Amino acid sequence: MSAFTDIREYVAIPRVLSLRLSPDGSRLISTVQSLNPDGKSYGTALWAIPLDGEPYRLTRSAKGESAAVFTATGDVLFTSARPDPTVKDSTDEVPALWLLPRAGGESRQVATRPGGISGIRTAGDVVVFAADVLDGEEAAEEDKRKDRKEAGISAILHEGNPVRYWDHDLGPGRTRLFAARLGGDRLEDVRDLTPDAGDALRDAAFELTPDGAGVITTWRAYLPKGETRTDLVVIDVATGQRRTLLSDDAHDFEGPMAISPDGTRVACARDRHTGWDVSARNELWIADLATGEGQAYAPDLFPGDLEWAPDSSAIYVAADHQGRRPIFRVPQDGEVTRLTRDDAAYIGLNASADGRFVYALRSAVNLAPAPARIDVTTGEITDLPSPAPRPDVRGTLTEISATADDGATIRGWLALPEGASAADPAPFLLFIHGGPVASWNDWQWRWQAWIMAQHGYAVLMPDPCLSTGYGQDMIDRGWGNWGPRTQADLDAIVDVALARDDIDSERIAALGGSFGGYMANWLAGHTDRYKAIVTHASLWNLDQFAGTTDAPMYWQREFGAPGSERYELLSPHVALDKITTPMLVIHGDKDYRVPIGEALRLWWDLRRTEVDAKFLYFPDENHWILKPGNIVAWYETVLAFLGQHVLGQEWKRPDSVA
């Protein structure tokens, strides 16, 4: 039996999350996520992948480990909330910094902070890490946190936006960067590099120069009317002095970020500020670290990951391209070349010190992530032993395309179940991706087409307007015209799919999450071709959404102030009276990107109609459904709903839902 048949077996599949290459090039380290013994949650552990041997597990603890980096000597630094065995009755509740010696032996705790430690970077004996800090005297911080907890105080006074992010409240602590040195049993000379940061380092991306002398970090500026701008600054590790390296009123400078091995340049993503008629554009930007002078490279490549060649002559870029995410080589002078020619998506790039190879996580729509080695001269790809063997995918993946009404080519992936044929055509599902600036090009643990294929469905994963990897024109086509333009693209490629003799053109449904959920809602009010619609974490009333999401300034740049014409033109709720298709509404209460109010309003509106609808509500989930038991409930409910309305089966309430 396939792991995609029984959802409980599927959620138990281990997942490789990251990849790091040791300084001597002898081994890789991955963070691997797997089901905890209680079956109710996931945990993480660090695994070593010797380049001349088999993977083996490095760490074990109930709290798990993550954020691993190598020191110059090959030791491993990582974060974990595991208790410190050297401290009696240790009950750590926040992540501390730990060191695992290269020579072996037990890990030891080397640094703690009352608010926990997150990102880590090292160079030589210098360590820089991020930590959450309360305003006020440093020595009193632990007491302040304890006093708040014991007094039952959770109140946070805000004087600006945002007040929450993704699935958590912001404050009262703020991110700061600390510098320290390796030595002895614990880090030495620990210093706050950014005591005046305020909220500038919220969600910061940062890197350490190869000589350990400077930190390059994003620095958020808060502007009038709720707007923000993200600059790049350089902080002197010795003095804490800060200078602005990159700043532009029309752009943000953000991660991914990489500093050249010779320490002279920084590569990052430059993200254009959008507007009513200014679409999203993300490009590779390389700047001189001394002067800040820079320029864009590789037009139309949205950088997903960056890694310099060891001689600093070029940078490797993983970027969406035609439904894949290849690795490209971008030289300082000369033409951009595509290094990988397969259908895979790459992330977690690591260049070997001798310049011969790039190591990365390799995946695809039909291939779970696992480590691979790419020869930079020949492009030859070698899969390496993985700490989490890939699950066997049954079925067929094929590529289809269509011509939209404006002449644009719309392409997508079509997953077909085993046995689909003209004699036994498969029922059809349209999966609409989120973003909207995104692409179906990678393995999905959440929206897993192969579970649906294992249950007999053909699944189309198209890239309509606003998708990445097809040039700026593809994004421009849908900017400020979400519903109508996207529906036209989807209609065109769905028509091509349904014309196949191995697909049943009568038994069809549409599913989408986030922006895909918006489009599911839009389709519900603008076509009756689908037998069922599943809408997850979806936008329903745009005017309401734009003011309650965790990032209102981003969406209001495109749609204008509340009440502008685009809200009325593009909001799905306007077509409520046209909806006749059965709908399954799904939402998590901790979703702050698309707040639960969208689902509650949609559900109430549907209840005032005669539409056959159900509401699957997750009180403890965010934009995504992440807990194993809830994942089971999600798939079992969706499959039961589709079975009722697409396959004509009798509705049976899944045992996994109350």
Side-chain angles (χ1 to χ4, degrees):
M1 180 184 294
S2 166
F4 299 99
T5 303
D6 187 335
I7 314 302
R8 287 166 180 79
E9 290 189 20
Y10 170 76
V11 299
I13 300 173
R15 300 110 187 261
V16 181
L17 304 181
S18 64
L19 199 67
R20 290 274 187 173
L21 179 65
S22 63
D24 64 1
S26 66
R27 61 174 179 161
L28 297 156
I29 279 188
S30 284
T31 301
V32 178
Q33 183 187 66
S34 58
L35 197 63
N36 282 327
D38 63 6
K40 298 178 182 179
S41 60
Y42 288 108
T44 55
L46 303 182
W47 284 69
I49 308 170
L51 297 186
D52 59 355
E54 293 298 315
Y56 59 92
R57 187 167 179 170
L58 288 172
T59 62
R60 295 179 186 274
S61 76
K63 295 291 187 177
E65 298 80 28
S66 60
V69 298
F70 283 101
T71 68
T73 59
D75 297 335
V76 178
L77 289 170
F78 62 89
T79 60
S80 177
R82 56 165 67 177
D84 184 353
T86 67
V87 178
K88 185 178 180 180
D89 299 325
S90 172
T91 56
D92 292 344
E93 296 181 354
V94 296
L97 185 60
W98 294 74
L99 184 145
L100 177 63
R102 176 186 179 184
E106 293 296 323
S107 303
R108 69 177 187 271
Q109 190 185 92
V110 295
T112 60
R113 291 290 312 171
I117 292 174
S118 51
I120 318 159
R121 297 294 182 268
T122 68
D125 65 347
V126 177
V127 177
V128 172
F129 61 83
D132 185 78
V133 176
L134 289 178
D135 291 337
E137 293 296 325
E138 183 78 9
E141 184 188 353
E142 189 167 2
D143 291 337
K144 289 176 67 175
R145 291 179 184 271
K146 182 179 179 181
D147 290 345
R148 279 178 60 89
K149 183 177 181 179
E150 291 181 349
I153 298 173
S154 60
I156 304 169
L157 178 63
H158 291 278
E159 295 180 313
N161 266 5
V163 301
R164 55 187 191 173
Y165 180 78
W166 194 249
D167 61 0
H168 59 276
D169 299 317
L170 298 178
R174 296 172 174 178
T175 303
R176 293 185 189 169
L177 295 180
F178 289 79
R181 293 192 178 275
L182 294 164
D185 290 334
R186 298 185 69 82
L187 294 189
E188 300 174 350
D189 188 26
V190 179
R191 294 168 290 116
D192 186 349
L193 290 177
T194 56
D196 62 341
D199 287 322
L201 290 169
R202 184 161 286 157
D203 306 311
F206 64 94
E207 295 292 341
L208 192 56
T209 56
D211 60 4
V215 180
I216 317 301
T217 182
T218 56
W219 193 269
R220 187 173 300 182
Y222 292 85
L223 308 174
K225 299 183 179 180
E227 285 288 344
T228 64
R229 184 192 68 241
T230 303
D231 301 334
L232 224 56
V233 304
V234 183
I235 302 172
D236 188 289
V237 170
T239 66
Q241 291 184 336
R242 183 177 71 249
R243 64 181 172 89
T244 300
L245 181 69
L246 300 174
S247 181
D248 183 339
D249 288 340
H251 295 86
D252 291 328
F253 295 92
E254 300 177 322
M257 185 193 312
I259 300 172
S260 61
D262 63 11
T264 64
R265 286 157 291 164
V266 61
C268 64
R270 188 175 80 150
D271 195 6
R272 180 168 68 185
H273 286 189
T274 60
W276 184 267
D277 55 1
V278 180
S279 65
R281 181 179 179 85
N282 189 277
E283 58 194 353
L284 172 64
W285 190 265
I286 300 178
D288 187 284
L289 277 178
T291 66
E293 295 181 0
Q295 67 181 77
Y297 287 78
D300 288 337
L301 290 186
F302 277 42
D305 198 13
L306 303 174
E307 172 77 350
W308 284 92
D311 63 0
S312 301
S313 65
I315 190 164
Y316 297 107
V317 181
D320 294 350
H321 180 71
Q322 296 289 322
R324 290 94 172 151
R325 194 192 307 123
I327 301 173
F328 296 87
R329 183 181 184 275
V330 182
Q332 288 294 98
D333 299 299
E335 294 185 359
V336 176
T337 57
R338 180 172 170 176
L339 182 59
T340 56
R341 294 284 175 179
D342 59 347
D343 291 336
Y346 292 86
I347 202 72
L349 308 186
N350 294 262
S352 63
D354 60 11
R356 295 174 57 201
F357 303 109
V358 171
Y359 296 90
L361 290 180
R362 175 175 177 261
S363 64
V365 172
N366 60 343
L367 196 70
R373 182 182 66 224
I374 302 96
D375 188 306
V376 302
T377 301
T378 66
E380 180 183 359
I381 301 161
T382 303
D383 285 327
L384 303 177
S386 176
R390 289 176 167 130
D392 180 36
V393 171
R394 298 179 183 176
T396 304
L397 184 68
T398 189
E399 192 170 10
I400 68 171
S401 64
T403 301
D405 55 347
D406 64 353
T409 298
I410 311 301
R411 61 154 302 285
W413 294 108
L414 178 64
L416 291 165
E418 290 182 304
S421 65
D424 186 18
F428 171 85
L429 304 180
L430 168 65
F431 268 21
I432 313 169
H433 71 61
V437 182
S439 171
W440 285 120
N441 59 19
D442 204 348
W443 181 264
Q444 299 291 322
W445 288 111
R446 295 182 304 278
W447 281 77
Q448 184 48 262
W450 298 105
I451 289 178
M452 301 305 180
Q454 188 65 32
H455 287 79
Y457 292 95
V459 183
L460 175 64
M461 295 161 277
D463 279 349
C465 66
L466 297 167
S467 295
T468 50
Y470 305 91
Q472 190 62 38
D473 287 347
M474 182 64 89
I475 296 173
D476 294 346
R477 294 173 62 246
W479 196 256
N481 192 24
W482 282 15
R485 180 66 266 159
T486 309
Q487 181 180 357
D489 288 358
L490 294 176
D491 285 347
I493 196 166
V494 167
D495 287 345
V496 169
L498 296 184
R500 296 171 58 102
D501 61 8
D502 52 3
I503 290 179
D504 187 334
S505 62
E506 296 298 321
R507 297 186 295 167
I508 68 174
L511 302 83
S514 194
F515 172 76
Y518 162 88
M519 279 309 304
N521 292 340
W522 180 271
L523 292 176
H526 293 83
T527 181
D528 60 0
R529 76 186 305 182
Y530 299 99
K531 301 296 185 183
I533 285 179
V534 178
T535 179
H536 172 103
S538 67
L539 293 68
W540 173 242
N541 184 321
L542 288 185
D543 187 284
Q544 171 182 276
F545 160 79
T548 58
T549 176
D550 59 355
M553 76 290 181
Y554 179 85
W555 306 106
Q556 291 188 21
R557 288 172 182 170
E558 180 177 2
F559 289 98
S564 75
E565 61 191 63
R566 279 188 180 168
Y567 292 98
E568 186 72 13
L569 179 66
L570 300 178
S571 187
H573 85 284
V574 175
L576 172 65
D577 62 339
K578 304 295 194 302
I579 297 178
T580 59
T581 304
M583 295 185 69
L584 173 61
V585 180
I586 307 176
H587 220 103
D589 195 76
K590 299 301 181 182
D591 186 351
Y592 296 161
R593 180 56 45 87
V594 181
I596 186 64
E598 292 300 293
L600 295 175
R601 173 71 182 272
L602 169 57
W603 178 239
W604 173 245
D605 285 349
L606 289 174
R607 296 298 291 168
R608 295 187 293 115
T609 72
E610 296 183 0
V611 174
D612 185 356
K614 291 178 173 61
F615 183 15
L616 181 60
Y617 168 65
F618 294 95
D620 56 352
E621 295 283 7
N622 60 27
H623 201 58
W624 301 333
I625 307 303
L626 301 176
K627 296 181 179 180
N630 286 338
I631 295 171
V632 172
W634 193 97
Y635 279 106
E636 288 187 346
T637 305
V638 169
L639 286 167
F641 186 79
L642 295 174
Q644 177 188 11
H645 295 289
V646 178
L647 305 183
Q649 299 171 350
E650 182 179 352
W651 165 257
K652 182 180 179 182
R653 191 183 191 91
D655 293 337
S656 54
V657 297

Short mmCIF file of all heavy atoms in Angstrom, two decimals, residues 576-616:
data_model
loop_
_atom_site.label_atom_id
_atom_site.label_comp_id
_atom_site.label_asym_id
_atom_site.label_seq_id
_atom_site.Cartn_x
_atom_site.Cartn_y
_atom_site.Cartn_z
N LEU A 576 -21.99 36.81 -4.56
CA LEU A 576 -22.59 35.81 -3.69
C LEU A 576 -23.88 35.24 -4.28
O LEU A 576 -24.11 34.03 -4.25
CB LEU A 576 -22.88 36.42 -2.32
CG LEU A 576 -23.70 35.55 -1.36
CD1 LEU A 576 -22.94 34.30 -0.96
CD2 LEU A 576 -24.11 36.37 -0.12
N ASP A 577 -24.71 36.09 -4.85
CA ASP A 577 -26.01 35.64 -5.34
C ASP A 577 -25.90 34.74 -6.58
O ASP A 577 -26.87 34.11 -6.99
CB ASP A 577 -26.92 36.83 -5.64
CG ASP A 577 -26.36 37.74 -6.72
OD1 ASP A 577 -25.12 37.69 -6.96
OD2 ASP A 577 -27.13 38.49 -7.33
N LYS A 578 -24.69 34.66 -7.16
CA LYS A 578 -24.49 33.80 -8.34
C LYS A 578 -23.98 32.42 -7.96
O LYS A 578 -23.87 31.54 -8.82
CB LYS A 578 -23.48 34.46 -9.29
CG LYS A 578 -23.84 35.86 -9.74
CD LYS A 578 -25.09 35.88 -10.59
CE LYS A 578 -25.25 37.21 -11.33
NZ LYS A 578 -25.31 38.37 -10.41
N ILE A 579 -23.65 32.19 -6.71
CA ILE A 579 -23.04 30.91 -6.30
C ILE A 579 -24.10 29.83 -6.16
O ILE A 579 -25.10 30.00 -5.45
CB ILE A 579 -22.28 31.07 -4.97
CG1 ILE A 579 -21.11 32.05 -5.13
CG2 ILE A 579 -21.75 29.72 -4.49
CD1 ILE A 579 -20.34 32.31 -3.85
N THR A 580 -23.88 28.72 -6.85
CA THR A 580 -24.74 27.54 -6.73
C THR A 580 -23.93 26.28 -6.44
O THR A 580 -24.51 25.26 -6.06
CB THR A 580 -25.54 27.33 -8.02
OG1 THR A 580 -24.63 27.16 -9.13
CG2 THR A 580 -26.46 28.52 -8.30
N THR A 581 -22.61 26.34 -6.62
CA THR A 581 -21.76 25.16 -6.46
C THR A 581 -21.54 24.85 -4.99
O THR A 581 -21.26 25.75 -4.19
CB THR A 581 -20.39 25.42 -7.12
OG1 THR A 581 -20.59 25.78 -8.49
CG2 THR A 581 -19.51 24.18 -7.06
N PRO A 582 -21.64 23.58 -4.57
CA PRO A 582 -21.33 23.21 -3.18
C PRO A 582 -19.91 23.64 -2.81
O PRO A 582 -18.98 23.49 -3.60
CB PRO A 582 -21.48 21.69 -3.18
CG PRO A 582 -22.43 21.41 -4.29
CD PRO A 582 -22.14 22.42 -5.35
N MET A 583 -19.76 24.17 -1.59
CA MET A 583 -18.47 24.71 -1.16
C MET A 583 -18.08 24.15 0.20
O MET A 583 -18.89 24.07 1.12
CB MET A 583 -18.51 26.24 -1.10
CG MET A 583 -18.72 26.92 -2.44
SD MET A 583 -18.61 28.73 -2.32
CE MET A 583 -16.85 28.94 -1.98
N LEU A 584 -16.80 23.81 0.32
CA LEU A 584 -16.20 23.46 1.61
C LEU A 584 -15.25 24.60 1.98
O LEU A 584 -14.26 24.85 1.29
CB LEU A 584 -15.43 22.14 1.51
CG LEU A 584 -14.62 21.74 2.76
CD1 LEU A 584 -15.52 21.57 3.98
CD2 LEU A 584 -13.83 20.45 2.50
N VAL A 585 -15.56 25.28 3.07
CA VAL A 585 -14.76 26.40 3.56
C VAL A 585 -13.83 25.87 4.65
O VAL A 585 -14.27 25.18 5.57
CB VAL A 585 -15.66 27.52 4.14
CG1 VAL A 585 -14.83 28.68 4.66
CG2 VAL A 585 -16.67 27.98 3.09
N ILE A 586 -12.53 26.19 4.56
CA ILE A 586 -11.55 25.72 5.54
C ILE A 586 -10.72 26.92 6.01
O ILE A 586 -10.26 27.72 5.20
CB ILE A 586 -10.61 24.66 4.94
CG1 ILE A 586 -11.41 23.52 4.30
CG2 ILE A 586 -9.67 24.11 6.01
CD1 ILE A 586 -10.55 22.48 3.60
N HIS A 587 -10.52 27.01 7.34
CA HIS A 587 -9.72 28.13 7.85
C HIS A 587 -9.19 27.81 9.24
O HIS A 587 -9.82 27.10 10.01
CB HIS A 587 -10.56 29.41 7.92
CG HIS A 587 -9.82 30.64 7.50
ND1 HIS A 587 -10.00 31.24 6.27
CD2 HIS A 587 -8.88 31.38 8.13
CE1 HIS A 587 -9.23 32.30 6.17
NE2 HIS A 587 -8.53 32.41 7.30
N GLY A 588 -8.00 28.36 9.55
CA GLY A 588 -7.41 28.26 10.87
C GLY A 588 -7.55 29.57 11.63
O GLY A 588 -7.38 30.65 11.06
N ASP A 589 -7.85 29.48 12.91
CA ASP A 589 -8.10 30.67 13.72
C ASP A 589 -6.83 31.50 13.92
O ASP A 589 -6.91 32.71 14.15
CB ASP A 589 -8.66 30.28 15.08
CG ASP A 589 -9.27 31.45 15.81
OD1 ASP A 589 -10.39 31.86 15.44
OD2 ASP A 589 -8.63 31.98 16.75
N LYS A 590 -5.65 30.88 13.85
CA LYS A 590 -4.40 31.59 14.07
C LYS A 590 -3.82 32.14 12.76
O LYS A 590 -2.64 32.51 12.72
CB LYS A 590 -3.38 30.66 14.74
CG LYS A 590 -3.81 30.15 16.11
CD LYS A 590 -4.06 31.29 17.08
CE LYS A 590 -4.46 30.77 18.45
NZ LYS A 590 -4.76 31.88 19.39
N ASP A 591 -4.62 32.19 11.74
CA ASP A 591 -4.19 32.75 10.46
C ASP A 591 -4.30 34.26 10.53
O ASP A 591 -5.40 34.81 10.53
CB ASP A 591 -5.07 32.19 9.33
CG ASP A 591 -4.59 32.63 7.95
OD1 ASP A 591 -3.70 33.47 7.86
OD2 ASP A 591 -5.14 32.10 6.97
N TYR A 592 -3.16 34.94 10.58
CA TYR A 592 -3.18 36.40 10.60
C TYR A 592 -2.88 36.99 9.22
O TYR A 592 -3.07 38.19 9.03
CB TYR A 592 -2.15 36.92 11.62
CG TYR A 592 -2.45 36.53 13.05
CD1 TYR A 592 -1.47 36.58 14.03
CD2 TYR A 592 -3.72 36.09 13.43
CE1 TYR A 592 -1.74 36.23 15.34
CE2 TYR A 592 -4.00 35.73 14.73
CZ TYR A 592 -3.00 35.81 15.68
OH TYR A 592 -3.27 35.45 16.98
N ARG A 593 -2.43 36.16 8.28
CA ARG A 593 -2.23 36.66 6.91
C ARG A 593 -3.59 36.87 6.24
O ARG A 593 -3.87 37.90 5.65
CB ARG A 593 -1.37 35.67 6.13
CG ARG A 593 -1.08 36.05 4.68
CD ARG A 593 -0.43 37.43 4.54
NE ARG A 593 0.65 37.69 5.47
CZ ARG A 593 1.93 37.38 5.30
NH1 ARG A 593 2.30 36.75 4.20
NH2 ARG A 593 2.84 37.70 6.21
N VAL A 594 -4.44 35.84 6.29
CA VAL A 594 -5.83 35.96 5.86
C VAL A 594 -6.68 35.68 7.10
O VAL A 594 -6.93 34.53 7.42
CB VAL A 594 -6.18 34.98 4.72
CG1 VAL A 594 -7.64 35.19 4.28
CG2 VAL A 594 -5.24 35.17 3.53
N PRO A 595 -7.08 36.70 7.82
CA PRO A 595 -7.71 36.50 9.13
C PRO A 595 -8.99 35.67 9.05
O PRO A 595 -9.68 35.63 8.03
CB PRO A 595 -7.99 37.93 9.60
CG PRO A 595 -6.99 38.77 8.87
CD PRO A 595 -6.84 38.12 7.53
N ILE A 596 -9.29 35.03 10.16
CA ILE A 596 -10.45 34.15 10.26
C ILE A 596 -11.75 34.87 9.92
O ILE A 596 -12.73 34.25 9.50
CB ILE A 596 -10.53 33.54 11.68
CG1 ILE A 596 -11.64 32.50 11.79
CG2 ILE A 596 -10.69 34.63 12.73
CD1 ILE A 596 -11.46 31.30 10.93
N GLY A 597 -11.76 36.19 10.05
CA GLY A 597 -12.96 36.95 9.69
C GLY A 597 -13.40 36.75 8.26
O GLY A 597 -14.60 36.84 7.95
N GLU A 598 -12.44 36.44 7.36
CA GLU A 598 -12.81 36.17 5.97
C GLU A 598 -13.67 34.91 5.88
O GLU A 598 -14.68 34.88 5.18
CB GLU A 598 -11.55 36.02 5.12
CG GLU A 598 -10.75 37.29 4.93
CD GLU A 598 -11.57 38.38 4.27
OE1 GLU A 598 -11.92 38.22 3.09
OE2 GLU A 598 -11.86 39.39 4.95
N ALA A 599 -13.25 33.86 6.59
CA ALA A 599 -14.03 32.61 6.56
C ALA A 599 -15.36 32.76 7.27
O ALA A 599 -16.38 32.22 6.82
CB ALA A 599 -13.21 31.49 7.19
N LEU A 600 -15.34 33.47 8.39
CA LEU A 600 -16.60 33.65 9.13
C LEU A 600 -17.62 34.42 8.31
O LEU A 600 -18.81 34.09 8.29
CB LEU A 600 -16.32 34.37 10.46
CG LEU A 600 -15.45 33.59 11.46
CD1 LEU A 600 -15.15 34.47 12.68
CD2 LEU A 600 -16.12 32.29 11.88
N ARG A 601 -17.15 35.45 7.61
CA ARG A 601 -18.05 36.23 6.75
C ARG A 601 -18.55 35.38 5.58
O ARG A 601 -19.74 35.39 5.25
CB ARG A 601 -17.32 37.47 6.24
CG ARG A 601 -18.08 38.29 5.20
CD ARG A 601 -19.27 39.05 5.78
NE ARG A 601 -19.97 39.76 4.74
CZ ARG A 601 -19.66 41.00 4.33
NH1 ARG A 601 -18.63 41.65 4.88
NH2 ARG A 601 -20.36 41.59 3.38
N LEU A 602 -17.63 34.62 4.96
CA LEU A 602 -18.03 33.75 3.85
C LEU A 602 -19.03 32.71 4.32
O LEU A 602 -20.06 32.47 3.66
CB LEU A 602 -16.78 33.08 3.26
CG LEU A 602 -17.02 31.93 2.26
CD1 LEU A 602 -17.85 32.38 1.08
CD2 LEU A 602 -15.68 31.36 1.80
N TRP A 603 -18.76 32.10 5.46
CA TRP A 603 -19.65 31.07 5.98
C TRP A 603 -21.03 31.63 6.28
O TRP A 603 -22.06 31.04 5.94
CB TRP A 603 -19.03 30.44 7.22
CG TRP A 603 -19.85 29.39 7.89
CD1 TRP A 603 -20.30 29.40 9.18
CD2 TRP A 603 -20.33 28.17 7.31
NE1 TRP A 603 -21.02 28.25 9.45
CE2 TRP A 603 -21.05 27.48 8.31
CE3 TRP A 603 -20.22 27.59 6.05
CZ2 TRP A 603 -21.66 26.25 8.09
CZ3 TRP A 603 -20.82 26.36 5.83
CH2 TRP A 603 -21.53 25.70 6.83
N TRP A 604 -21.08 32.81 6.90
CA TRP A 604 -22.37 33.42 7.21
C TRP A 604 -23.12 33.78 5.92
O TRP A 604 -24.33 33.55 5.81
CB TRP A 604 -22.19 34.66 8.08
CG TRP A 604 -23.46 35.42 8.29
CD1 TRP A 604 -23.75 36.69 7.88
CD2 TRP A 604 -24.65 34.96 8.96
NE1 TRP A 604 -25.02 37.06 8.24
CE2 TRP A 604 -25.60 36.01 8.91
CE3 TRP A 604 -25.00 33.77 9.58
CZ2 TRP A 604 -26.87 35.89 9.45
CZ3 TRP A 604 -26.27 33.65 10.14
CH2 TRP A 604 -27.19 34.70 10.07
N ASP A 605 -22.38 34.32 4.95
CA ASP A 605 -23.02 34.67 3.69
C ASP A 605 -23.59 33.44 3.00
O ASP A 605 -24.70 33.46 2.45
CB ASP A 605 -22.04 35.39 2.76
CG ASP A 605 -21.78 36.82 3.17
OD1 ASP A 605 -22.51 37.34 4.05
OD2 ASP A 605 -20.83 37.43 2.63
N LEU A 606 -22.85 32.34 3.02
CA LEU A 606 -23.34 31.10 2.40
C LEU A 606 -24.55 30.55 3.15
O LEU A 606 -25.45 29.97 2.54
CB LEU A 606 -22.23 30.05 2.36
CG LEU A 606 -21.08 30.31 1.37
CD1 LEU A 606 -19.99 29.27 1.54
CD2 LEU A 606 -21.58 30.31 -0.07
N ARG A 607 -24.55 30.70 4.47
CA ARG A 607 -25.68 30.21 5.25
C ARG A 607 -26.97 30.94 4.91
O ARG A 607 -28.08 30.43 5.15
CB ARG A 607 -25.39 30.35 6.75
CG ARG A 607 -24.23 29.51 7.26
CD ARG A 607 -24.45 28.03 7.08
NE ARG A 607 -25.51 27.54 7.96
CZ ARG A 607 -26.07 26.36 7.86
NH1 ARG A 607 -25.71 25.54 6.88
NH2 ARG A 607 -27.00 25.97 8.72
N ARG A 608 -26.86 32.13 4.36
CA ARG A 608 -28.05 32.90 3.99
C ARG A 608 -28.52 32.55 2.58
O ARG A 608 -29.44 33.17 2.06
CB ARG A 608 -27.76 34.41 4.09
CG ARG A 608 -27.49 34.85 5.53
CD ARG A 608 -27.38 36.37 5.66
NE ARG A 608 -26.20 36.90 4.99
CZ ARG A 608 -26.24 37.70 3.93
NH1 ARG A 608 -27.39 38.03 3.38
NH2 ARG A 608 -25.12 38.17 3.41
N THR A 609 -27.85 31.58 1.95
CA THR A 609 -28.26 31.10 0.63
C THR A 609 -28.68 29.63 0.75
O THR A 609 -28.69 29.07 1.85
CB THR A 609 -27.11 31.21 -0.38
OG1 THR A 609 -26.12 30.22 -0.07
CG2 THR A 609 -26.46 32.59 -0.33
N GLU A 610 -28.98 29.02 -0.35
CA GLU A 610 -29.33 27.60 -0.36
C GLU A 610 -28.18 26.74 -0.85
O GLU A 610 -28.36 25.57 -1.17
CB GLU A 610 -30.57 27.39 -1.23
CG GLU A 610 -31.82 28.08 -0.69
CD GLU A 610 -33.05 27.79 -1.52
OE1 GLU A 610 -32.93 27.05 -2.52
OE2 GLU A 610 -34.13 28.31 -1.18
N VAL A 611 -26.98 27.32 -0.89
CA VAL A 611 -25.80 26.56 -1.32
C VAL A 611 -25.47 25.48 -0.29
O VAL A 611 -25.48 25.73 0.92
CB VAL A 611 -24.59 27.51 -1.50
CG1 VAL A 611 -23.32 26.71 -1.80
CG2 VAL A 611 -24.86 28.51 -2.61
N ASP A 612 -25.18 24.28 -0.78
CA ASP A 612 -24.75 23.18 0.09
C ASP A 612 -23.30 23.47 0.50
O ASP A 612 -22.39 23.39 -0.32
CB ASP A 612 -24.86 21.86 -0.66
CG ASP A 612 -24.54 20.67 0.23
OD1 ASP A 612 -24.16 20.87 1.40
OD2 ASP A 612 -24.67 19.52 -0.25
N ALA A 613 -23.08 23.80 1.77
CA ALA A 613 -21.75 24.20 2.21
C ALA A 613 -21.42 23.60 3.56
O ALA A 613 -22.31 23.29 4.37
CB ALA A 613 -21.65 25.72 2.27
N LYS A 614 -20.12 23.45 3.80
CA LYS A 614 -19.61 22.99 5.09
C LYS A 614 -18.41 23.86 5.47
O LYS A 614 -17.74 24.43 4.60
CB LYS A 614 -19.21 21.52 5.02
CG LYS A 614 -20.39 20.56 4.86
CD LYS A 614 -19.94 19.12 4.75
CE LYS A 614 -21.13 18.16 4.77
NZ LYS A 614 -22.06 18.39 3.65
N PHE A 615 -18.15 23.93 6.78
CA PHE A 615 -17.06 24.77 7.30
C PHE A 615 -16.16 23.90 8.18
O PHE A 615 -16.58 23.44 9.24
CB PHE A 615 -17.64 25.94 8.09
CG PHE A 615 -16.62 26.92 8.62
CD1 PHE A 615 -15.32 26.96 8.15
CD2 PHE A 615 -16.98 27.84 9.61
CE1 PHE A 615 -14.39 27.88 8.63
CE2 PHE A 615 -16.07 28.76 10.10
CZ PHE A 615 -14.77 28.78 9.61
N LEU A 616 -14.93 23.67 7.73
CA LEU A 616 -13.94 22.93 8.51
C LEU A 616 -13.05 23.95 9.21
O LEU A 616 -12.25 24.64 8.56
CB LEU A 616 -13.11 22.02 7.60
CG LEU A 616 -12.05 21.15 8.28
CD1 LEU A 616 -12.68 20.22 9.32
CD2 LEU A 616 -11.26 20.36 7.24
#
